[in-house]
């Protein structure tokens, strides 16, 4: 397996000439580009791991992970940017920067062609490194018993699982990745089975909130500033009114600017050498203010649909109940049977984010006073970057009758739970289990209820 420098996969390309000198070295950038849930995975090699209490050893891991960095999943924003630039070019209404952007967008289209939604090389490398660190940091867990691996039916989730298990195959030669049936993905794609959740996503409350932030005076003003870099004033006047661009109707200046910004975010999925070799560099197009604000606008959908939104116990969070139930059940089975080393699951941001909030992991539950304020309390790049993962690592004592402990990692970092402990980051398993069992009961759910019934009855 290819092993690359773990320190930084943050792609903010200020000073392309300097970066070319460092193309295959470690990278460190002063102003990381904001990318919300599109952020490339980052592992801090300088972080400290709290030693287990004396006499305790790790023996089991319960895990849920997101797929690695991917190519853009759909061509919509790529097409809006490309077709708008192409139309302006035909009318000789592009600036020199506009012509440069058109060339870059054309190359991005070529990169994405036949690869939409697939893992990039960077995504594959990051997943491999996460897997290697799990093995290295928890040698007492992997005893050669059994590892259960399941992924959603998404090709990128399945490939992520296959890459993840590669380092395990020497000790587990028969390890296999299984998937739930296409119409029975209640564990990892629970978000497609809840009528109440569908109704919430399509509600006027959510739609109006997204419109309010997208068409706010700040968005419009910053979009104008960005567009002026690429187009003549005559073309911008037409774009302000709205233009039919390809299959998209009434595209306005803010639609174009946000489309280019989302391509900017998507560049994080590509290895540094690809960006450098093909001079893909959008940094100068967005001021620090525009970068921060457009990220707020684009990521608002995540906050509302898979984050705490208006209620950290709302339907958009409750739908993760089947996964929480499964984590509790599989943990108890592993503890009782003593022949399961790990349960590994691979899915999506829509799986990880509500699950993290349902768990009440620190930094995932605060509700902002207004949608415009959500970046002060909720950070998608810290919770659900590409390759995001939650690990429950279980420990038992060499002394009889001592309680089993569990430590929770979010993206390989120790995190707090709203549960009392005298040994942070280690919690008594019985306390954790009781806390989450009570939470499921408070939602009107029980462990004997079929997942599909649970999801259909949620309100």
């Amino acid at each position: 397996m290819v092993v690359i420098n773990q320190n930084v996969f943050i792609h903010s390309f200020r000073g392309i000439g300097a970066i070319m000198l460092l193309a295959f070295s470690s990278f460190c950038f002063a102003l990381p580009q904001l990318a919300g849930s599109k952020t490339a995975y980052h592992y801090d090699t300088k972080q400290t791991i709290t030693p287990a209490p004396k006499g305790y050893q790790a023996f089991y891991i319960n895990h849920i992970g997101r797929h690695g960095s991917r190519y853009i999943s759909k061509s919509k924003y790529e097409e809006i940017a490309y077709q708008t630039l192409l139309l302006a070019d035909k009318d000789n209404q592009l600036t020199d920067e506009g012509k440069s952007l058109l060339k870059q967008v054309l190359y991005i289209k070529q990169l994405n062609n036949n690869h939409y939604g697939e893992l990039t090389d960077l995504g594959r490398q990051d997943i491999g490194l996460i897997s290697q660190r799990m093995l290295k940091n928890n040698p007492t867990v992997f005893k050669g018993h059994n590892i259960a691996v399941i992924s959603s039916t998404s090709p990128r989730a399945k490939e992520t699982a296959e890459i993840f298990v590669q380092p395990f195959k020497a000790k587990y030669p028969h390890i296999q990745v299984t998937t739930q049936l296409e119409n029975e993905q209640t564990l990892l794609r629970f978000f497609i089975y809840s009528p109440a959740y569908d109704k919430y996503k399509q509600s006027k409350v959510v739609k109006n909130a997204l419109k309010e932030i997208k068409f706010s005076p700040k968005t419009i003003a910053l979009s104008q500033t960005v567009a002026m870099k690429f187009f003549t004033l005559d073309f911008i006047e037409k774009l302000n009114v709205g233009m039919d661009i390809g299959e998209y109707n009434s595209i306005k200046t803010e639609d174009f600017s946000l489309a280019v910004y989302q391509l900017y975010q998507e560049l994080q999925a590509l290895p540094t050498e690809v960006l450098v070799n093909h001079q893909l560099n959008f940094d100068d197009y967005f001021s620090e203010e525009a970068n921060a604000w457009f990220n707020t606008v684009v990521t608002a959908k995540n906050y509302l649909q898979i984050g705490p939104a208006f209620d950290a116990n709302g339907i958009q969070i409750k739908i993760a109940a089947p996964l929480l139930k499964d984590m509790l059940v599989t943990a108890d089975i592993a503890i009782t049977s003593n022949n399961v080393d790990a349960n590994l699951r691979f899915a999506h941001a829509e799986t990880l984010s509500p699950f993290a909030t349902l768990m009440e992991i620190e930094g995932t539950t605060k509700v902002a006073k207004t949608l415009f304020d959500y970046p002060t309390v909720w950070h998608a790049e810290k919770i659900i970057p590409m390759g995001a993962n939650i690990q429950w690592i279980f420990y038992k004592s060499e002394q009889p009758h001592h309680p089993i402990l569990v430590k929770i990692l979010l993206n390989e970092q120790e995190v707090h739970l709203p549960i009392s402990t005298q040994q942070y980051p280690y919690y008594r398993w019985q306390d954790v289990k009781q806390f989450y069992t009570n939470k499921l009961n408070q939602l009107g759910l029980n462990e004997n209820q079929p997942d599909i019934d649970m999801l259909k009855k949620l309100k």
Side-chain angles (χ1 to χ4, degrees):
M1 176 165 295
V2 177
V3 181
I4 57 177
N5 188 286
Q6 299 178 19
N7 287 340
V8 184
F9 283 119
I10 299 174
H11 303 300
S12 178
F13 297 98
R14 300 196 178 278
I16 194 76
I19 293 174
M20 289 187 72
L21 297 175
L22 298 170
F24 298 98
S25 306
S26 300
F27 292 84
C28 183
F29 303 107
L31 291 172
Q33 184 224 323
L34 301 171
S37 62
K38 304 181 189 77
T39 301
Y41 194 79
H42 171 65
Y43 178 76
D44 182 4
T45 58
K46 296 180 180 179
Q47 69 175 321
T48 58
I49 298 175
T50 305
K54 186 177 179 179
Y56 276 85
Q57 284 190 335
F59 71 96
Y60 167 69
I61 294 178
N62 217 350
H63 158 278
I64 173 70
R66 185 189 182 192
H67 59 76
S69 290
R70 50 152 177 76
Y71 289 93
I72 189 171
S73 58
K74 297 177 182 177
S75 63
K76 177 180 178 180
Y77 301 113
E78 181 185 81
E79 283 300 314
I80 288 174
Y82 176 68
Q83 295 294 342
T84 306
L85 289 163
L86 195 63
L87 182 61
D89 188 43
K90 288 179 180 178
D91 294 338
N92 198 31
Q93 293 187 315
L94 282 183
T95 65
D96 288 343
E97 281 190 289
K99 293 175 182 178
S100 174
L101 177 62
L102 177 57
K103 290 179 181 179
Q104 292 187 75
V105 173
L106 178 59
Y107 184 71
I108 290 170
K109 280 173 61 66
Q110 294 169 352
L111 279 177
N112 288 329
N113 188 35
N114 297 322
H115 294 293
Y116 291 102
E118 294 179 4
L119 297 185
T120 63
D121 287 344
L122 176 61
R124 296 183 181 102
Q125 291 164 348
D126 285 342
I127 293 302
L129 290 171
I130 296 169
S131 174
Q132 291 174 40
R133 286 191 293 267
M134 179 184 282
L135 272 170
K136 179 182 177 182
N137 293 338
N138 305 283
T140 57
V141 168
F142 301 104
K143 304 172 287 292
H145 292 155
N146 296 295
I147 294 181
V149 188
I150 185 170
S151 83
S152 80
T153 56
S154 162
R156 59 179 173 266
K158 288 192 283 187
E159 185 182 4
T160 295
E162 294 289 357
I163 293 169
F164 198 96
V165 302
Q166 282 301 315
F168 293 81
K169 287 192 172 180
K171 188 171 286 188
Y172 303 88
H174 302 296
I175 193 170
Q176 291 186 333
V177 176
T178 61
T179 61
Q180 288 186 301
L181 296 177
E182 185 67 41
N183 61 344
E184 296 179 10
Q185 298 185 76
T186 52
L187 180 61
L188 300 177
R189 292 174 66 91
F190 43 73
F191 43 87
I192 66 175
Y193 292 97
S194 168
Y197 179 55
D198 284 341
K199 184 177 180 180
Y200 167 77
K201 284 198 301 181
Q202 300 302 321
S203 67
K204 287 186 177 180
V205 173
V206 171
K207 288 186 174 182
N208 289 342
L210 290 173
K211 287 180 181 178
E212 182 181 9
I213 197 167
K214 178 180 178 180
F215 299 112
S216 68
K218 187 171 184 177
T219 305
I220 292 172
L222 289 171
S223 296
Q224 293 288 321
T225 302
V226 170
M228 288 176 67
K229 297 176 184 289
F230 309 123
F231 304 117
T232 63
L233 289 177
D234 286 345
F235 190 84
I236 291 176
E237 287 179 1
K238 297 175 186 176
L239 200 55
N240 286 342
V241 175
M243 302 176 69
D244 292 341
I245 307 290
E247 64 181 276
Y248 302 101
N249 299 322
S250 193
I251 295 299
K252 295 187 176 181
T253 307
E254 54 270 20
D255 298 307
F256 169 80
S257 295
L258 288 169
V260 174
Y261 181 74
Q262 292 193 72
L263 292 183
Y264 182 30
Q265 290 185 316
E266 295 285 355
L267 292 181
Q268 285 220 8
L270 300 175
T272 301
E273 55 267 28
V274 172
L275 297 169
V276 171
N277 291 343
H278 299 283
Q279 299 184 27
L280 297 175
N281 178 19
F282 285 26
D283 276 2
D284 291 338
Y285 302 151
F286 300 97
S287 66
E288 188 174 346
E289 180 185 19
N291 191 3
W293 181 251
F294 286 164
N295 181 61
T296 297
V297 174
V298 169
T299 309
K301 186 175 181 180
N302 285 157
Y303 175 75
L304 290 172
Q305 294 189 354
I306 59 176
F310 311 108
D311 178 3
N313 290 306
I315 185 61
Q316 80 285 1
I317 304 303
K318 292 177 184 177
I319 54 173
L323 178 55
L324 178 57
K325 183 185 79 169
D326 187 69
M327 295 281 281
L328 296 173
V329 170
T330 51
D332 267 349
I333 291 172
I335 292 167
T336 303
S337 68
N338 203 33
N339 68 355
V340 179
D341 294 341
N343 285 90
L344 308 176
R345 306 166 184 81
F346 298 91
H348 308 272
E350 295 91 337
T351 312
L352 268 287
S353 183
F355 179 61
T357 304
L358 188 62
M359 281 186 62
E360 299 184 44
I361 291 175
E362 61 178 317
T364 68
T365 62
K366 289 187 178 179
V367 175
K369 292 182 179 178
T370 72
L371 183 59
F372 291 80
D373 299 321
Y374 85 82
T376 64
V377 298
W378 192 80
H379 304 277
E381 68 277 5
K382 294 181 180 179
I383 303 167
I384 46 170
M386 296 293 184
N389 56 89
I390 295 173
Q391 300 178 35
W392 295 9
I393 306 178
F394 288 77
Y395 298 77
K396 59 184 174 183
S397 175
E398 58 191 21
Q399 300 296 323
H401 311 303
H402 282 223
I404 288 174
L405 304 179
V406 62
K407 176 172 69 172
I408 309 300
L409 302 183
L410 172 61
N411 301 325
E412 301 179 85
Q413 295 187 8
E414 298 168 350
V415 289
H416 289 86
L417 301 176
I419 300 170
S420 177
T421 181
Q422 301 299 314
Q423 297 174 296
Y424 176 81
Y426 298 90
Y427 296 83
R428 291 168 58 105
W429 167 237
Q430 281 304 122
D431 294 341
V432 172
K433 178 183 175 182
Q434 191 62 56
F435 179 83
Y436 291 131
T437 299
N438 289 345
K439 184 152 191 173
L440 290 175
N441 290 338
Q442 288 167 5
L443 294 176
L445 310 171
N446 66 74
E447 62 183 30
N448 298 317
Q449 189 175 24
D451 291 346
I452 191 68
D453 292 342
M454 182 186 295
L455 290 167
K456 287 182 176 180
K457 292 178 180 178
L458 281 174
K459 301 296 182 183

